[in-house]
Amino acid sequence: MNKTQIPQKIVSLRKLMKKNGLDGFIVTDNLDQFYLGGFYFYPHEAVFLITHKDVFCWTRELYLTDVAVRAPFMTTVADEDRLNTAVKQAQKCGLQKVGFDAAKEGYASGRLLADNGFVQCASLINQLREVKDDNEIKIIRAACRIAYQAYEYVKPLIKTGMTELEVAAELEKFMRTRGATTTSFYTIVGFGEDCANPHHVTGSRKLKAEDCILMDFGCVYNGYCSDITRSWWHGKKEPAEYTKIWKLVDKARKAGIKAVKPGTATRTVDNAARDIIKAGGYGAYFTHGTGHGMGMENHEEPYNNQESDAVLTEGHIVTVEPGIYLPGKYGVRLEDTVAVVKTGAKILTKK
Amino acid sequence: MPTADLSQKRLQDFKRLLKRAALDAYFTADPMEMRYLSGVELSYGEAVLLVSAKKSWFFTRTMIVPKMSHAARFIHVQDVKTESLSSAALETARAQGCASIGFAEDKVNFVLGQQLAKAGGVCAGALLDEMRLVKYPDEIAKIKTACRIASEAFKEVKPQIKTGITEHAVAALLAGAMLRRGAENIPFNIVCFGANTADAHHTASKTRKLKNNEAVLMDFGCLYEGYASDMTRSWWHGDKIPAEYEQIWNITHAAYRACAKSLKAGLSCREADASARRVIEKAGYGKEFFHSTGHGVGLQVHDGPFLSPRSVQVLEADSPVTVEPGIYFAGKWGVRLEDTFLVTKDGSKKLTKN
């Protein structure tokens, strides 16, 4: 039978399996499945068994037609007892060492696999997902462009009296009209003291004539995320302290981006931004890390924070997003998504 | 008027369940479980919740603390500096002398599950899953709003679906209409034209344009304050409706009606499924109806109970469920009709309209 070519990502996974002495790997996470096969299953609706020879997929009957067309390299079978079937198939193939991702497998299903001699592994597919290829970077750039354009589109529409949710609706509608399928995370729009809460839940607070605004949002485009934050003062009487912290955060953002390049420790990126805020006297009000990796999920490795031991390489996509939050008053966060390229950082969240 | 948040009551009721199950405490890192018991909207990794008979604790990070202000009156919020959140929770459990700690075996990963098992963890996911089947008044109010938003948005968008529009453009219009009405997220948004309508979980295409005289299927819903709605509409676009399409549509509709009519507290979910399936099987299309008839709706779009031939659950009052039979012909077209219903003592109430 003429099966189409095996996707490059499966070839890469097989190399990684070999390195780890595995002759089989179970994939149940639906984003990992999308990454490998380019086909989006709903969560918990498919199980893959990858061997050095085959790609088996057990799923719900309703997917069969579509999978046959879009992922013909897999042997896809309708099955409602998928994990047990995978175990049986592994035995049938005579596989010796089949791994599964212990961080993504649920405890109940992980136990079923472990009881059958499968071995728990690190997130092998995350290791592949962390470094993006040119096509992925192109898609993420498109996702970031849509987010940036949404900011430019929405900013002049924001008028005194609008609610946070109304602004979020305008942002999301714009992004979807430009090709986004969903948002990378719940859109954060905060006014006034809500801006002092880094993970504020967008609500029905109305914008006052003199108020601060913080928008942190992004979209999913062709399966990949974008992430951007902008903060500014709405009105004419911008408090001197707001201007001061805004400038400080902007300086920290620029320093963070400047620090990004292949070979740099992510902790160094965090320090570059954090030192500026500390020197400005607001160290205690910068209550989170400077950024995070991004791809199919909005938070991925590597993390630009103090706990991380990661080192940046070409193909990493990270955010740089310092902030200062003054509880009960206001807050400022400025964020860009950047790609790590040979020469340093390339900002993706722009026109 | 928004209904008062009943999280505190749910937490109290849950503590009684823990006691009955002879558990000293319950551990969860699942955003939906945490939201259910606290009212706080969280993402995975932002917090861990530990509930014991006497006290409840959130273990979280400095930046998340402000989000918890309204739950702080009934849940102790602990700002964990460097330790992992789950380790901090397990330490507290140990200090409190909790020997048996329940957790949902399908909602923690294998690594965490092993850590829990070592610390006295007991698989107890069914406790909360079962409690969540019957909704509290605040939950019902939110689901009703989510259903109203989806229904009104569809009514607004349907006249804009004209020959030449792409699937994705329709999905975008619908999403916008739901967001403007207060939805905070659109968890799924299926728009299919032509042969795509036979693909039950199709992804809206950016290039596929609607032709005159073809089938349309839309399956959509939204989240309102964390709670979902779910509805599906199928129709023929154009005036040359094939007789077969009309016939299949009528069979699907008859199946939908039979199931809707059967719903009431006490009915087995298997029987609810059978009431729709019988109609389709009798018409000779049993094989073309290859999914279950419906599912519960709540914090998850696919919540329990499941109206399927394999289900052992029984419908209860105040439990919202979908009824969604469908018939699909690969390569040709398909029909699915779906509404969200609230099961009551002696029947049901339809929540999605238009």
Side-chain angles (χ1 to χ4, degrees):
Chain A
M1 209 170 89
N2 177 27
K3 291 198 174 183
T4 30
Q5 228 181 335
I6 296 288
Q8 185 51 44
K9 283 163 180 144
I10 289 183
V11 175
S12 306
L13 175 64
R14 282 177 172 156
K15 272 189 204 146
L16 208 50
M17 282 162 54
K18 212 168 201 174
K19 225 172 103 185
N20 286 273
L22 300 169
D23 52 8
F25 197 69
I26 293 282
V27 184
T28 54
D29 180 81
N30 74 322
L31 289 182
D32 284 350
Q33 291 167 347
F34 179 77
Y35 180 77
L36 293 175
F39 185 88
Y40 184 81
F41 292 95
Y42 281 29
H44 311 296
E45 295 200 341
V47 169
F48 288 8
L49 169 64
I50 318 267
T51 73
H52 288 295
K53 247 179 73 196
D54 295 293
V55 180
F56 297 101
C57 165
W58 296 277
T59 185
R60 296 178 64 191
E61 189 175 351
L62 58 83
Y63 288 106
L64 294 185
T65 326
D66 213 19
V67 176
V69 176
R70 292 206 267 161
F73 57 90
M74 304 196 290
T75 308
T76 307
V77 178
D79 196 303
E80 287 302 324
D81 190 20
R82 296 184 265 280
L83 215 51
N84 280 311
T85 306
V87 168
K88 278 184 212 136
Q89 183 64 49
Q91 286 158 356
K92 213 196 259 168
C93 293
L95 301 179
Q96 298 301 314
K97 197 175 168 196
V98 184
F100 68 92
D101 184 332
K104 287 183 188 167
E105 203 55 65
Y107 180 60
S109 47
R111 228 170 36 173
L112 189 155
L113 293 171
D115 288 349
N116 279 286
F118 288 34
V119 290
Q120 49 175 314
C121 296
S123 301
L124 295 191
I125 298 172
N126 277 11
Q127 293 170 24
L128 300 176
R129 278 170 55 178
E130 193 178 321
V131 180
K132 277 76 184 171
D133 65 25
D134 290 348
N135 184 46
E136 290 179 290
I137 295 174
K138 224 182 262 170
I139 297 171
I140 295 170
R141 164 69 177 124
C144 289
R145 185 190 288 121
I146 292 172
Y148 182 83
Q149 288 174 341
Y151 157 71
E152 284 207 321
Y153 163 80
V154 164
K155 201 177 172 190
L157 297 181
I158 299 177
K159 300 270 157 21
T160 306
M162 268 173 102
T163 68
E164 293 172 350
L165 275 165
E166 282 167 353
V167 174
E170 291 295 339
L171 277 173
E172 292 186 22
K173 191 184 168 197
F174 179 90
M175 293 193 290
R176 286 172 198 268
T177 312
R178 296 302 157 107
T181 48
T182 183
T183 55
S184 317
F185 52 93
Y186 283 3
T187 300
I188 299 176
V189 176
F191 300 153
E193 63 279 5
D194 287 350
C195 303
N197 175 359
H199 276 188
H200 167 63
V201 177
T202 307
S204 39
R205 184 191 193 283
K206 284 187 178 158
L207 183 63
K208 295 179 193 151
E210 294 292 332
D211 228 343
C212 71
I213 300 177
L214 186 153
M215 309 195 315
D216 184 353
F217 63 98
C219 66
V220 178
Y221 178 79
N222 285 358
Y224 287 82
C225 298
S226 57
D227 196 352
I228 179 173
T229 307
R230 291 294 183 263
S231 305
W232 70 94
W233 189 265
H234 172 78
K236 292 210 160 58
K237 294 176 209 144
E238 182 169 325
E241 193 185 19
Y242 184 89
T243 314
K244 187 176 155 198
I245 64 169
W246 195 96
K247 285 189 172 154
L248 203 53
V249 173
D250 191 43
K251 210 172 142 195
R253 178 188 64 88
K254 284 179 181 147
I257 293 175
K258 217 176 144 195
V260 168
K261 60 171 178 288
T264 302
T266 51
R267 200 180 291 145
T268 308
V269 177
D270 184 71
N271 279 333
R274 198 168 300 279
D275 287 349
I276 285 177
I277 291 179
K278 269 189 195 159
Y282 287 92
Y285 301 97
F286 177 20
T287 48
H288 54 74
T290 297
H292 51 83
M294 209 189 62
M296 285 167 33
E297 284 174 284
N298 193 54
H299 288 143
E300 289 186 5
E301 297 287 337
Y303 288 86
N304 293 325
N305 64 24
Q306 289 302 311
E307 287 77 41
S308 168
D309 292 317
V311 173
L312 295 174
T313 67
E314 247 183 287
H316 272 148
I317 305 279
V318 293
T319 68
V320 175
E321 47 176 316
I324 295 176
Y325 312 94
L326 306 179
K329 257 158 111 180
Y330 37 65
V332 170
R333 178 166 64 255
L334 300 171
E335 173 186 31
D336 281 308
T337 301
V338 306
V340 182
V341 296
K342 208 172 280 164
T343 49
K346 193 176 147 202
I347 298 182
L348 303 181
T349 36
K350 60 177 190 184
K351 223 173 219 163
Chain B
M1 264 301 281
T3 325
D5 179 67
L6 296 174
S7 311
Q8 193 174 359
K9 179 163 183 354
R10 274 189 285 278
L11 188 64
Q12 289 301 336
D13 293 347
F14 180 59
K15 284 181 176 177
R16 273 195 288 278
L17 284 182
L18 277 184
K19 205 171 164 193
R20 219 177 300 155
L23 290 171
D24 297 330
Y26 188 82
F27 169 101
T28 182
D30 179 67
M32 285 183 197
E33 291 197 340
M34 292 193 282
R35 184 169 194 163
Y36 184 72
L37 296 172
S38 72
V40 182
E41 183 195 315
L42 292 161
S43 300
Y44 188 80
E46 286 186 340
V48 157
L49 178 67
L50 181 73
V51 180
S52 85
K54 286 191 214 102
K55 211 171 159 187
S56 307
W57 298 263
F58 258 134
F59 299 89
T60 190
R61 305 288 182 205
T62 311
M63 70 179 289
I64 306 299
V65 172
K67 242 173 85 150
M68 302 190 158
S69 56
H70 92 271
R73 67 200 155 84
F74 61 97
I75 299 175
H76 178 75
V77 178
Q78 202 155 309
D79 186 347
V80 182
K81 290 300 175 203
T82 51
E83 218 180 341
S84 92
L85 298 179
S86 38
S87 298
L90 291 178
E91 229 165 73
T92 300
R94 195 163 39 238
Q96 297 282 323
C98 300
S100 56
I101 307 162
F103 70 97
E105 59 277 19
D106 58 339
K107 295 187 185 78
V108 300
N109 68 30
F110 191 61
V111 174
L112 181 53
Q114 285 172 308
Q115 193 191 349
L116 283 164
K118 256 185 230 143
V122 177
C123 296
L127 271 188
L128 258 183
D129 284 350
E130 273 165 30
M131 178 175 168
R132 278 169 57 181
L133 293 176
V134 175
K135 267 66 179 176
Y136 285 70
D138 60 334
E139 298 182 279
I140 293 175
K142 286 170 186 171
I143 292 166
K144 277 185 176 164
T145 306
C147 287
R148 180 176 53 74
I149 290 171
S151 308
E152 286 178 6
F154 176 70
K155 196 175 175 189
E156 176 190 313
V157 169
K158 199 182 169 193
Q160 299 175 57
I161 303 175
K162 304 219 168 88
T163 307
I165 195 166
T166 66
E167 290 175 348
H168 182 82
V170 174
L173 282 174
L174 191 66
M178 291 195 278
L179 291 166
R180 259 188 285 112
R181 288 174 168 81
E184 74 254 2
N185 211 346
I186 318 296
F188 61 100
N189 195 345
I190 299 173
V191 179
C192 332
F193 301 154
N196 292 342
T197 58
D199 170 9
H201 276 183
H202 175 68
T203 307
S205 153
K206 285 164 197 165
T207 50
R208 177 63 163 89
K209 285 182 179 164
L210 181 61
K211 296 175 207 150
N212 195 17
N213 281 309
E214 68 176 354
V216 179
L217 185 152
M218 292 171 63
D219 184 350
F220 55 95
C222 66
L223 288 185
Y224 178 78
E225 295 190 4
Y227 285 83
S229 56
D230 195 355
M231 64 191 281
T232 306
R233 294 293 179 266
S234 301
W235 70 94
W236 190 264
H237 173 76
D239 48 16
K240 288 187 199 129
I241 309 178
E244 196 189 2
Y245 184 89
E246 203 165 356
Q247 183 206 355
I248 294 297
W249 197 98
N250 287 336
I251 295 166
T252 310
H253 192 238
Y256 157 90
R257 267 198 325 220
C259 180
K261 247 178 83 183
S262 77
L263 296 179
K264 69 167 184 229
L267 181 76
S268 77
C269 291
R270 197 183 298 162
E271 181 47 35
D273 176 80
S275 62
R277 199 166 300 279
R278 264 195 301 268
V279 174
I280 293 178
E281 275 171 0
K282 222 171 119 189
Y285 296 100
K287 257 184 69 190
E288 282 75 21
F289 174 27
F290 47 61
H291 55 73
S292 52
T293 302
H295 54 81
V297 173
L299 286 163
Q300 295 190 92
V301 180
H302 289 173
D303 226 343
F306 295 94
L307 281 57
S308 97
R310 291 180 305 278
S311 177
V312 290
Q313 292 166 306
V314 172
L315 290 178
E316 291 180 81
D318 292 337
S319 188
V321 297
T322 68
V323 172
E324 48 178 314
I327 299 175
Y328 313 89
F329 300 105
K332 210 160 129 191
W333 39 253
V335 170
R336 179 164 69 251
L337 301 171
E338 175 188 27
D339 279 302
T340 303
F341 291 84
L342 184 66
V343 177
T344 61
K345 203 167 101 262
D346 40 31
S348 70
K349 200 174 163 237
K350 191 159 106 174
L351 302 183
T352 42
K353 299 211 166 90
N354 298 320

